Amino acid sequence: SPLDQEEIREILTLQQALDRYLARCRLKGRSETTIQGYQDVINRHGRDWLDRTLDELGRSRRAFTARHTHITLNSGPTTANQFMRAFRAIYRHARRFDPDLPAPPTEVIEYNPEYRREKIITDWPGWLAAVQAQKNPIVRDWYLFLAFTGMRKTSAGAVRVRHVKLDRGFLHVPNPKGGTRRAFDLPLSRHLTEILAARIAENEARYPGSPWLFPSLWAAKGHLTQVYSRYLPSPHVHRHSYATGAKAAGLGEYDIKLLLNHKITDVTGRYLHASMLGAHLQACQEKVTAWLLNQMAPSAQTTERPNEGQ
């Protein structure tokens, strides 16, 4: 019978394994940004391996050590780690269906140390002055939006007007980091709602038909993706600063995670249902905005004092 016949083993190349892994990611609802990240890092640093079989690569451990070192020296330690993690995910996925593959060759890798970015905004009055000095009002409002929500750069730029519910005080984020399964409703403070209402009204007058909250400064039908300013920090610094401000405003750990749409992995957290906490999270958002506005007031700026005894 067919069951008694030896199963014919399919030998995959890295390209074939990559295609299957990315298809699986899409079925699981992973974001296209994440999927594109896997595609880019493999194509950029492993292009010469795409036609090699996983069997061959699995037995080439020294090649992985050499490749990790090469990428570290030429593209940086974080990129080298990212390539190895991407390959590991692809290889492990293929090995689930082909247990005869060798152990993952990435097991020999000593990953480079990675350090968290600790920088946050401390001079809020100076930050506000730099934002208000922006010539383009879209850029100005984009920075204000980052500060009062802590959203990631990609998600912030891709906000559509139809997802902003001004009358109900929230923003629906249908495809955040993690994909559609991580969709959530972000409460908006009254202060930010007023800013966004003015932005939407101006967009209707200056960019009729644009679906984006922050239309692109260059592409007629696109949206804002990145802004570089020598006087203002990166979007991710704004996210760190928002989280720090939320803690300073007295919010609990779960409240901060829900507002930032961080995954909650502990047992108690998995019992929380954000959809039933709308009013509570709205109040939390108001607290964060009030704290930030207080910090942005000129009187909030203080001079550093030396330690006593110096």
Side-chain angles (χ1 to χ4, degrees):
S1 69
L3 292 177
D4 296 329
Q5 297 176 3
E6 183 178 353
E7 183 177 352
I8 299 176
R9 182 168 173 244
E10 185 178 16
I11 307 298
L12 295 180
T13 63
L14 176 57
Q15 180 67 68
Q16 292 170 326
L18 171 63
D19 293 341
R20 294 189 181 188
Y21 179 73
L22 297 185
R24 177 60 178 168
C25 287
R26 289 189 174 93
L27 285 176
K28 294 176 66 176
R30 301 292 295 275
S31 72
E32 282 300 320
T33 301
T34 299
I35 292 170
Q36 190 62 48
Y38 281 115
Q39 182 94 55
D40 290 346
V41 76
I42 293 296
N43 285 338
R44 186 176 299 116
H45 301 289
R47 180 177 295 277
D48 57 320
W49 287 356
L50 290 175
D51 292 332
R52 296 175 64 178
T53 67
L54 294 188
D55 278 279
E56 182 184 2
L57 291 171
R59 294 180 174 85
S60 305
R61 296 194 165 204
R62 289 183 180 178
F64 279 81
T65 302
R67 184 62 54 96
H68 186 254
T69 301
H70 175 79
I71 300 173
T72 298
L73 294 175
N74 291 275
S75 301
T78 300
T79 301
N81 289 352
Q82 289 173 343
F83 173 77
M84 291 299 161
R85 292 192 185 107
F87 181 91
R88 181 178 63 190
I90 296 163
Y91 193 91
R92 285 178 172 174
H93 178 259
R95 200 166 184 246
R96 289 175 56 193
F97 303 97
D98 185 2
D100 291 331
L101 281 172
T106 50
E107 289 181 353
V108 300
I109 298 299
E110 293 187 12
Y111 287 87
N112 297 312
E114 296 181 33
Y115 303 99
R116 292 178 57 190
R117 290 168 285 189
E118 299 293 343
K119 184 177 179 181
I120 62 170
I121 300 168
T122 55
D123 178 13
W124 282 106
W127 174 88
L128 182 60
V131 170
Q132 292 173 336
Q134 296 297 310
K135 294 181 180 180
N136 192 298
I138 296 177
V139 174
R140 177 200 64 207
D141 290 347
W142 186 70
Y143 275 112
L144 291 171
F145 182 82
L146 291 176
F148 288 113
T149 64
M151 282 192 70
R152 294 181 174 89
K153 174 190 67 176
T154 302
S155 296
V159 171
R160 293 177 180 266
V161 173
R162 63 187 176 90
H163 291 142
V164 182
K165 310 299 181 182
L166 295 175
D167 56 333
R168 298 166 61 186
F170 75 88
L171 164 68
H172 180 62
V173 185
N175 192 24
K177 181 179 179 180
T180 54
R181 61 197 176 101
R182 299 282 299 154
F184 72 109
D185 291 333
L186 175 70
L188 304 173
S189 65
R190 290 186 296 272
H191 179 74
L192 183 57
T193 298
E194 293 173 0
I195 294 173
L196 298 188
R199 167 61 25 229
I200 291 172
E202 184 175 330
N203 287 350
E204 291 174 349
R206 296 185 58 184
Y207 309 95
S210 174
W212 309 108
L213 180 62
F214 302 108
S216 172
L217 309 183
W218 304 280
K221 296 183 180 181
H223 61 79
L224 204 63
T225 57
Q226 179 64 288
V227 175
Y228 296 97
S229 172
R230 59 184 296 188
Y231 303 107
L232 289 163
S234 72
H236 211 72
V237 169
H238 287 74
R239 187 167 173 83
H240 281 237
S241 303
Y242 174 90
T244 303
K247 183 63 178 178
L251 270 61
E253 178 183 357
Y254 291 134
D255 294 330
I256 297 173
K257 286 186 175 183
L258 290 171
L259 289 175
L260 290 172
N261 200 36
H262 281 167
K263 183 180 292 187
I264 301 176
T265 57
D266 63 84
V267 175
T268 302
R270 289 201 296 268
Y271 280 88
L272 296 178
H273 293 265
S275 60
M276 301 300 294
L277 297 173
H280 171 74
L281 292 176
Q282 187 82 50
C284 290
Q285 192 72 283
E286 293 290 351
K287 289 181 181 179
V288 181
T289 294
W291 186 90
L292 289 170
L293 288 174
N294 183 63
Q295 296 301 304
M296 293 175 191
S299 59
Q301 192 171 18
T302 58
T303 58
E304 186 176 350
R305 297 174 57 185
N307 293 332
E308 292 186 14
Q310 290 186 343

